[in-house]
Amino acid sequence: MSGKTKAVTDELVEQCKVELKKQGIRGENGRRLQAIISAKGFGITAVAKIYNISRRTLFRWIAAFKEKGCAGFDAAPGRGRPARI
């Protein structure tokens, strides 16, 4: 039995639904928004298994969206291996 999560509020779900309508369901941001919306009803563990991600990743997506909206999903500058040249 999956428990309800306190990390995802009704307000957050509504914000995600609005962004999902703007951006569409396709693409990585759409996938992340759908996962956050699903976590409200089904719980973090169940959604993480369905989306084949870790619970920690889902919590990071939730925190990033709460902090910056969809801009929080973007990769931070300076990430990755620097170029040799």
Side-chain angles (χ1 to χ4, degrees):
M1 185 170 136
S2 65
K4 302 275 180 163
T5 181
K6 295 178 184 176
V8 182
T9 63
D10 290 331
E11 294 172 14
L12 183 67
V13 170
E14 290 304 316
Q15 291 173 353
C16 287
K17 287 180 180 179
V18 168
E19 282 296 321
L20 192 60
K21 283 185 181 181
K22 287 181 189 175
Q23 296 194 8
I25 61 172
R26 306 217 189 282
E28 190 61 29
N29 283 353
R31 178 177 183 254
R32 291 175 181 186
L33 291 168
Q34 287 175 337
I36 294 171
I37 293 167
S38 300
K40 177 66 178 172
F42 297 104
I44 297 290
T45 303
V47 172
K49 284 182 183 178
I50 291 169
Y51 281 84
N52 197 23
I53 57 173
S54 68
R55 294 175 72 240
R56 178 124 173 99
T57 298
L58 186 51
F59 275 116
R60 285 182 186 158
W61 291 353
I62 293 167
F65 187 79
K66 280 182 179 178
E67 188 177 327
K68 297 181 184 176
C70 279
F73 295 149
D74 297 338
R79 302 246 349 208
R81 184 176 180 168
R84 286 185 157 191
I85 301 177

